Amino acid sequence: MKALLRIEYLLTKRNAFGFIMGIGMPVLFFLLFSSMFDSSYENAAALTRNYLLTMTAFSMSSFGLYAFPSMLDTDKQSRWLLQIQHSPVPLSQYYLAKVLNVFVSFVISIMVNFAVGAIFRDVRMTTEQWLVSSLLLLATSMVYLAIGLALTLFKNRQTLSVVANLLYFVLAIFGGSWLPYEALPDWMQSVAHFTPSYYANQLVLRYINDHHLQVTSLLMVLLYTIIITGITLVLKKKQEVR
């Protein structure tokens, strides 16, 4: 397992540009758009805080939708996965190392985004709120890993990239990452209720704004994660048989 984690670390170093962009672009978006929430806005501080949380989720989604399926696809194309399958190393350890790799990226994304929000936009929350928000973001990020796994069903890497790009922005827009859900047109709000990103964002925002855990959103995120993962595993087995 240690050898696999070491390999993951080296691979991440090689793809440092993608890692930096996955965190840097959402940070720049946050700094740019949050600068518009001046004193003329009612509850400007709350808007900035909420925007920080949703943009952090947006940053994390890039690792689930881009980095994760890209790593799996690269290993498949390079036959590294085939070597693992014919080695004494359990396949479960291989996938665990990949998940831990992305999980570390999630944690770093949260730390960087939160630090930027606190230092440059004076976002203030209690220690408990910072910690619980981080845990909720990590919990909801699992649905993006599930979607990333589903993207590996595409055998063509170009198709995988196009679909990942499309989902990256569609889920962000309808989930309320760029604009508050309440600011979306009615038809977009209706569509948003069918996206996992909406429930992922609402879980964190409702905790911060309403001071309670919205169980419905948590259950919906878990449901999406289980269904997407289950369907993906079934389809993967069918692909292997073919």
Side-chain angles (χ1 to χ4, degrees):
M1 186 63 184
K2 287 183 179 180
L4 289 174
L5 292 175
R6 174 68 177 172
I7 292 172
E8 292 304 314
Y9 170 72
L10 294 174
L11 290 174
T12 301
K13 283 184 64 177
R14 289 181 185 176
N15 192 33
F17 178 76
F19 179 81
I20 293 172
M21 286 298 295
I23 296 177
M25 187 176 70
V27 165
L28 291 175
F29 281 162
F30 167 72
L31 291 174
L32 176 63
F33 291 110
S34 62
S35 64
M36 302 177 186
F37 302 146
D38 54 26
S39 57
S40 63
Y41 279 81
E42 185 179 357
N43 299 323
L47 286 173
T48 303
R49 179 193 62 203
N50 290 351
Y51 192 52
L52 172 64
L53 294 171
T54 57
M55 287 307 289
T56 302
F58 175 60
S59 173
M60 296 168 69
S61 71
S62 70
F63 294 106
L65 299 176
Y66 284 119
F68 186 55
S70 178
M71 288 188 296
L72 296 178
D73 185 67
T74 298
D75 288 350
K76 183 178 179 180
Q77 298 299 328
S78 66
R79 296 187 176 275
W80 172 243
L81 179 59
L82 186 63
Q83 293 182 47
I84 293 292
Q85 290 174 326
H86 290 83
S87 73
V89 178
L91 199 58
S92 58
Q93 288 190 11
Y94 163 80
Y95 284 109
L96 179 59
K98 292 296 180 184
V99 171
L100 288 176
N101 182 334
V102 182
F103 189 80
V104 170
S105 299
F106 288 158
V107 173
I108 294 175
S109 177
I110 291 173
M111 293 173 63
V112 172
N113 279 274
F114 280 12
V116 169
I119 296 171
F120 295 99
R121 289 295 180 262
D122 197 32
V123 175
R124 292 289 176 263
M125 291 192 286
T126 65
T127 301
E128 179 184 347
Q129 288 176 324
W130 286 114
L131 290 175
V132 175
S133 295
S134 299
L135 292 175
L136 291 178
L137 284 167
L138 288 173
T140 56
S141 66
M142 294 300 104
V143 73
Y144 296 115
L145 282 178
I147 296 172
L149 181 64
L151 289 173
T152 61
L153 291 170
F154 293 104
K155 295 182 179 180
N156 185 293
R157 184 154 195 171
Q158 185 175 3
T159 303
L160 187 156
S161 180
V162 170
V163 176
N165 272 287
L166 182 63
L167 286 175
Y168 183 48
F169 291 104
V170 168
L171 291 176
I173 294 170
F174 284 93
S177 293
W178 288 1
L179 288 173
Y181 165 77
E182 294 76 14
L184 297 176
D186 291 341
W187 72 270
M188 291 185 69
Q189 291 188 22
S190 299
V191 174
H193 286 267
F194 294 95
T195 64
S197 53
Y198 165 77
Y199 295 102
N201 286 340
Q202 287 299 308
L203 178 63
V204 183
L205 293 177
R206 288 293 166 260
Y207 165 73
I208 291 297
N209 297 323
D210 300 338
H211 311 291
H212 72 85
L213 187 65
Q214 194 177 49
V215 179
T216 301
S217 291
L218 179 59
L219 292 176
M220 288 300 296
V221 171
L222 291 174
L223 185 62
Y224 269 107
T225 303
I226 293 171
I227 291 176
I228 294 172
T229 302
I231 292 175
T232 301
L233 293 177
V234 170
L235 293 178
K236 274 188 170 296
K237 286 185 178 180
K238 289 185 177 181
Q239 284 185 344
E240 291 174 0
V241 171
R242 292 174 185 176

